Amino acid sequence: MSAIVTLKKGEGRTVKAGGLWIYDNEIASIAGTFDNGDIVEVHDFDGFALGRGFINMASKIRIRLMTRKAGQEINMDFIRMRVQNAWNYRKQVVETDCCRLIFGEADFCLAS
């Protein structure tokens, strides 16, 4: 089981509005153990699951969400799916002889 990060009351508005970053000053508590780069679950102050993402205690952007689905496993299949989705999109909108494949947050492919 991953660590659970609980946000302060009144925080999480940007995440609920579509944002993917959680800043250090928005966090009330972290239950469980983790290492930088581990996937953690993020909950609102009242326990509502907001998603899962990478945690990095050395960054002001403490968590970068990868998914809004609380139970979704983030593994190689997940990453492969995100890269495939990005490639499929690029093939529809740009010339792919030479193009940037991944646009971080825009393609929901983040790293801490």
Side-chain angles (χ1 to χ4, degrees):
M1 176 165 192
S2 64
I4 297 175
V5 176
T6 303
L7 301 184
K8 295 176 183 175
K9 187 173 184 172
E11 300 295 347
R13 291 180 303 280
T14 57
V15 171
K16 290 176 183 175
L20 298 173
W21 295 350
I22 296 169
Y23 290 91
D24 60 344
N25 62 335
E26 297 176 312
I27 296 172
S29 66
I30 303 175
T33 60
F34 63 90
D35 292 319
N36 282 336
D38 283 353
I39 301 294
V40 296
E41 293 184 30
V42 178
H43 291 190
D44 200 352
F45 73 96
D46 61 359
F48 179 77
L50 297 173
R52 301 183 76 214
F54 290 98
I55 189 167
N56 182 353
M57 296 300 287
S59 175
K60 285 281 197 190
I61 301 171
R62 198 56 42 102
I63 300 164
R64 298 167 190 262
L65 291 179
M66 293 288 292
T67 181
R68 296 187 186 285
K69 297 178 183 175
Q72 186 166 19
E73 189 70 29
I74 299 176
N75 54 25
M76 286 306 295
D77 289 335
F78 177 89
I79 301 298
R80 199 173 289 116
M81 180 256 318
R82 288 287 169 88
V83 171
Q84 185 65 54
N85 290 347
W87 176 240
N88 291 342
Y89 177 73
R90 297 295 171 277
K91 290 189 296 186
Q92 293 175 9
V93 298
V94 298
E95 176 58 49
T96 58
D97 288 344
C98 181
C99 70
R100 181 174 171 179
L101 175 60
I102 302 292
F103 284 79
E105 287 86 353
D107 289 314
F108 305 104
C109 297
L110 305 175
S112 60

